Each structure stands twice: as C-alpha cells, then as structure tokens.
Amino acid sequence: MPPTSDPVTEQATPKQAIRRRGDLVFSRTAVSAGIMILVVLAAVTLFLIVESVPALTGDPEETQFLNGEPFLVYVWPFIFGTLWASIIALVVASPLAIGIALFISHYAPRRIAALLGYIIDLLAAIPSVVYGLWGALVFSQMLKPFYVWLNENFGWIPFFAGAVSPTGRTILTASLVLAVMILPIMTAITREVFLQTPVLHEEAALALGATRWEMIRMAVFPFARGGMVSGAMLGLGRALGETMAVTMVLSATGAVTFQVLNSNNPTPIPANIALNFGEAYGDGVNVLIATGLILFLVTFAVNAIARYVVNRRAEFSGAN
C-alpha cells in the first residue's frame, strides 16, 4: 500500500517565494548603492586624513597660513565661526519651520496648503550663488536700519553691542541667509512628520474637549518630536557646510566674538577654504584640507548626536 502524505505537514511547510529577475536586479542594485555610499565615505575620510598629515606634523614656521602658530590655534577661530553662524541660523529657522509646517498640516485649507508647500519647496532649488548675491547686494542693505535700531535700543545686550557695520555684511546677515537656505528642508521633514500623526489620537483629544492647539500640544508634538529633531539637525548639517553664500555675504576677519552687528566678524571654515584656496601652495593646501577634516569631524559629531537624540526619544514617541 503506497504511503500517504500528511496534509498537516504539507500545510506547515512554507513555500519558497519565487524571486523574479526584476526583484533580484532591484535588490542587488539597492545593496550596491548602500555599499557605494560607505566606500565613498571611507575614501573621503582617508583622503582628508592623508592630506592633513603634513599640516599637522610640519614645522609651523615654514607652513603657509600658520605663521608660526600650532594648527589648533590657527583653526580654532574658524571652528567658532562655523558653529556660531550655524547656531544662529538654526535658532532663527527652527520656529519658522515648525510654524509653517504646522500651518500647512493642520490649519490651512487644502488648496492654500498645497500652494504654500510648493512655494517653500521651491526655495531649495535656488542655487547658493543666488542666495549669496541676494544677501550681499540686497538683504544686507535692507537690514542696516534694523541693525542701527537694535544697537540703539538693545546695545546693553553683549550680542548687539559695538559699532554697527556700515555695509550690513555681518555674521548675523550671513546667518539669516543660512536660515532661509535651510528652511525648506526643515519645513518639509517637519510637515511630513506632522501629517503622520495618527488621526485617532487627534480625534480622541478633540473628543475629550481639547482645543485645536491643545490637541496639537498633546497629540502631535509628542509624536513628532523625533522628526522635528531630525529636521533641525539635517538643517544644521546644511548650514555647517555652506560655502558660497557665506563667502559672498560675510565680511570675514577671523575674529572670535559674539557680537553680531559690527565689522569684526568670525569666519566659518567653508568660507576660509573658499577665500584662501586660490592662493594656497605647498603645505598651505594641506592646511586648508586639514581644516576641511575638522569640519568633517564636526559635521559627523552633529549627526551622531542627532541620531542619539532621535533614538532616545523614539522610545517615548506616540508611534510606539
């Protein structure tokens, strides 16, 4: 008598999925793209380290730009300028991005929200050179009366003390231009995170008698906190590496000062590289590449901190 198959065993045995050629091509392409990113990142890191060695180990007396000073003494003012300009831009852009994203996602009518979102997204398509020209020729002139007013009425605050720059091309102007540049990406990410808030959470808050603002504060913000931090850090990364706009707007002097209205302005690392690379030779090129390595490390540290904050807050997110 031939053996009979057990129907229970046949049903429990999972069938192997059929992998089509298109699925294999897409899967391998995605894996290759991910590996390529890691390879490029490793290559850039290796290049920066190798090219920075002569600047870090050479004689400061014979190295261009160092003028007999250690490399860390030379690069410190540029680190300060990079962080100071980026922090000001982030402080200005963050509330604007959150407000615009909140208006688009929860307050504006659908047609107005779509139009406003499209206009905000268009700001990301404007080249940095255009922002630089606008900031240097138009925006700085518009801000001069405002700077005088700030100095006259709030000069007792250390940030607004000192003589006002007659050109308006200050670290504050450059930071405001950076804020406009990072606004689209921050707004887009924050808006999408707000739209992902579970509708049941919002309806439950409204059903319990909460106003719209109370619903946003209790349901939307806790859910979107990690996304808002991610958008802010992504915008900060863009501000840290911006070159042309800052170079064209800022009247850079390499000073270390918190005053934002006078002509004695800090210099960010990208602007220093752009201004001096054409005149660099020999070990001077290695010095500028070494400052680029410092900028790379700063940006990497910012992204690592942002990832830590997002992962830590994800445990308390409404998504979980």
Side-chain angles (χ1 to χ4, degrees):
M1 185 176 181
T4 58
S5 58
D6 188 357
V8 177
T9 304
E10 290 182 355
Q11 293 179 1
T13 303
K15 294 182 179 180
Q16 187 175 4
I18 301 175
R19 304 197 67 179
R20 297 179 178 86
R21 181 178 300 176
D23 296 335
L24 291 174
V25 172
F26 178 80
S27 176
R28 292 172 181 175
T29 302
V31 172
S32 300
I35 295 175
M36 183 61 66
I37 292 175
L38 297 177
V39 171
V40 171
L41 181 62
V44 171
T45 305
L46 182 62
F47 167 79
L48 291 175
I49 294 175
V50 171
E51 293 295 326
S52 301
V53 170
L56 300 176
T57 60
D59 185 3
E61 297 289 345
E62 301 178 358
T63 303
Q64 187 186 16
F65 301 129
L66 295 185
N67 298 324
E69 298 177 340
F71 174 77
L72 291 180
V73 175
Y74 166 78
V75 78
W76 155 242
F78 306 126
I79 297 176
F80 171 81
T82 302
L83 296 177
W84 183 227
S86 301
I87 290 173
I88 295 175
L90 185 64
V91 169
V92 173
S94 293
L96 290 176
I98 294 174
I100 295 172
L102 198 60
F103 177 75
I104 293 174
S105 60
H106 286 83
Y107 284 93
R110 181 171 299 180
R111 291 185 178 180
I112 297 178
L115 178 62
L116 184 59
Y118 179 71
I119 293 174
I120 294 297
D121 292 340
L122 277 179
L123 292 176
I126 301 177
S128 300
V129 175
V130 176
Y131 278 113
L133 289 173
W134 170 71
L137 302 179
V138 179
F139 195 44
S140 60
Q141 303 303 314
M142 294 171 55
L143 290 174
K144 284 195 297 183
F146 176 64
Y147 288 169
V148 173
W149 180 85
L150 277 179
N151 181 259
E152 292 177 351
N153 294 274
F154 298 96
W156 51 272
I157 301 176
F159 296 144
F160 306 130
V164 179
S165 171
T167 63
R169 298 172 62 179
T170 67
I171 190 68
L172 182 57
T173 305
S175 300
L176 293 177
V177 173
L178 284 178
V180 176
M181 297 179 67
I182 66 178
L183 189 62
I185 188 169
M186 295 177 61
T187 303
I189 294 176
T190 308
R191 177 187 63 201
E192 294 303 320
V193 174
F194 285 164
L195 291 174
Q196 295 300 319
T197 305
V199 179
L200 291 178
H201 292 189
E202 299 180 358
E203 293 178 348
L206 294 174
L208 291 174
T211 63
R212 181 177 296 186
W213 168 244
E214 290 173 340
M215 177 271 294
I216 291 172
R217 190 179 60 190
M218 293 185 297
V220 177
F221 283 164
F223 179 87
R225 187 177 291 113
M228 290 190 292
V229 173
S230 298
M233 292 301 103
L234 195 59
L236 179 60
R238 168 77 188 277
L240 287 171
E242 182 54 47
T243 303
M244 290 309 302
V246 177
T247 303
M248 299 174 70
V249 172
L250 186 64
S251 178
T253 61
V256 178
T257 176
F258 288 99
Q259 296 178 353
V260 297
L261 301 181
N262 54 32
S263 302
N264 196 23
N265 296 302
T267 305
I269 291 177
N272 176 64
I273 295 175
L275 290 171
N276 294 317
F277 198 82
E279 301 176 358
Y281 61 89
D283 291 341
V285 177
N286 300 106
V287 170
L288 297 181
I289 293 177
T291 60
L293 175 63
I294 299 297
L295 178 63
F296 178 83
L297 296 176
V298 170
T299 307
F300 184 83
V302 168
N303 291 330
I305 294 173
R307 178 58 57 187
Y308 169 76
V309 172
V310 171
N311 292 339
R312 184 171 177 269
R313 298 304 306 182
E315 300 176 2
F316 309 99
S317 172
N320 296 323

